[in-house]
Amino acid sequence: MANKDPLMITDKDEMRKWSRSMRAQGKTIGLVPTMGYLHEGHLSLIQESHKQTHLTVVSIYINPGQFSPTEDLSTYPSDLLGDIQKLKSVPGGVDVVFNPKNLYDYGNNDNGCGVGLDQEGGKVVSCVETGGMGHETWVRVERLEKDLCGKSRPVFFRGVATIVTKLFNIVEPDVAVFGKKDYQQWRIIKRMVRDLDFGIKVIGTELARDDDGLAKSSRNARLSPDDRQKALSISKSLFKAKFAAENGQNDCQELRNAVIQAIHEAGGKIDYAEVRY
């Protein structure tokens, strides 16, 4: 049934109480963690949760713990009312939207994001630490977080693993659904769940693309028409490399160089391009 109004919960104790009440009734709970500004990719995760569980919780929380002060926390797109309408449009809807104000609020109200170095002046830290909120405990998946995206975003996966742990402890789901667009993130969460013995099934769904091939992302809303056209070089070069590999090209360096060249020619800047199998 579409147009189902979700229960809105902002308090973590209320969220935990709801989950325990539902579980006491024999209901299973699926969690879809998001940072909001939802798109069709997010909605597909909800549909997967419906297949797995009786009830679905969608969390909407822009997590400061995964942003360094030089990143786009303050400009990350947000539209809660629009998100609620999108959630109501999903067949079957969602049961709860968990939209906490600040999951790092332990009694002081400083949510600022200041300079990006610790007091010793050498290590990049997150907006949680520079905001003076007093949070000291972090979850790290030490090997998997170091490579690929982790090279240029040293606080990102630590912040993701920590906030997902917090959400798991608050919502207490049976199943959690993530998109494979953020493939390294999905693998890190799966490893964390295994290593820390969470009793949660982690499901990854295939990424969703727009008709022109661009992977759906909340940040796409900030692309100019010209930048969007340039961004298509990413998917086009990856599809071309995939086709070449499937047809006998097994030189990983040549595949990598072809991707880099295509993106450079479109005016893009490479963070990394690697072939993994």
Side-chain angles (χ1 to χ4, degrees), residues 39-42 44 181 205-210 214-217:
H39 51 68
E40 289 87 347
H42 294 113
S44 70
K181 177 177 75 68
T205 66
E206 298 304 317
L207 66 84
R209 294 185 181 274
D210 285 322
L214 189 66
K216 291 183 180 292
S217 170

Side-chain angles (χ1 to χ4, degrees), residues 52-67:
Q52 302 288 333
T53 60
H54 298 109
L55 303 170
T56 295
V57 176
V58 173
S59 64
I60 297 178
Y61 180 65
I62 300 176
N63 171 35
Q66 67 194 60
F67 291 82

Side-chain angles (χ1 to χ4, degrees), residues 69-83:
T70 60
E71 294 176 328
D72 60 342
L73 174 63
S74 63
T75 60
Y76 193 88
S78 177
D79 179 16
L80 181 60
L81 293 179
D83 288 343

Side-chain angles (χ1 to χ4, degrees), residues 8-9 49 76 86 109 118 138 141 155-156 176 222 245 271:
M8 297 294 297
I9 297 179
S49 177
Y76 193 88
K86 290 173 185 176
N109 297 316
D118 66 7
W138 299 96
V141 181
V155 304
F156 177 70
R222 294 163 47 194
D271 185 0

Side-chain angles (χ1 to χ4, degrees), residues 18-150:
W18 180 90
S19 292
R20 292 180 178 180
S21 173
M22 294 300 106
R23 290 168 69 91
Q25 298 175 37
K27 305 292 187 180
T28 53
I29 299 170
L31 171 64
V32 178
T34 83
M35 295 208 301
Y37 214 77
L38 305 179
H39 51 68
E40 289 87 347
H42 294 113
L43 304 186
S44 70
L45 305 184
I46 295 165
Q47 293 169 336
E48 181 62 32
S49 177
H50 287 166
K51 298 176 185 177
Q52 302 288 333
T53 60
H54 298 109
L55 303 170
T56 295
V57 176
V58 173
S59 64
I60 297 178
Y61 180 65
I62 300 176
N63 171 35
Q66 67 194 60
F67 291 82
S68 75
T70 60
E71 294 176 328
D72 60 342
L73 174 63
S74 63
T75 60
Y76 193 88
S78 177
D79 179 16
L80 181 60
L81 293 179
D83 288 343
I84 299 304
Q85 292 305 310
K86 290 173 185 176
L87 294 175
K88 289 171 66 175
S89 75
V90 177
V94 301
D95 298 281
V96 172
V97 172
F98 180 46
N99 179 225
K101 180 179 179 182
N102 182 7
L103 288 178
Y104 299 93
D105 184 2
Y106 306 115
N108 59 52
N109 297 316
D110 184 357
N111 295 330
C113 191
V115 297
L117 297 177
D118 66 7
Q119 292 181 353
E120 285 71 41
K123 183 176 67 175
V124 177
V125 296
S126 73
C127 289
V128 168
E129 291 147 297
T130 61
M133 289 182 268
H135 184 87
E136 297 185 27
T137 305
W138 299 96
V139 179
R140 308 200 72 146
V141 181
E142 294 185 352
R143 183 179 63 83
L144 289 182
E145 74 171 33
K146 290 179 180 179
D147 211 352
L148 303 175
C149 291

Side-chain angles (χ1 to χ4, degrees), residues 9 19 68 71 80 83 89 91 153 165 182 197 201 227 242 265 275:
I9 297 179
S19 292
S68 75
E71 294 176 328
L80 181 60
D83 288 343
S89 75
R153 303 189 69 187
T165 296
D182 302 304
D197 292 310
K201 181 181 180 181
D227 285 339
K242 180 175 183 287
E265 289 176 352
V275 178

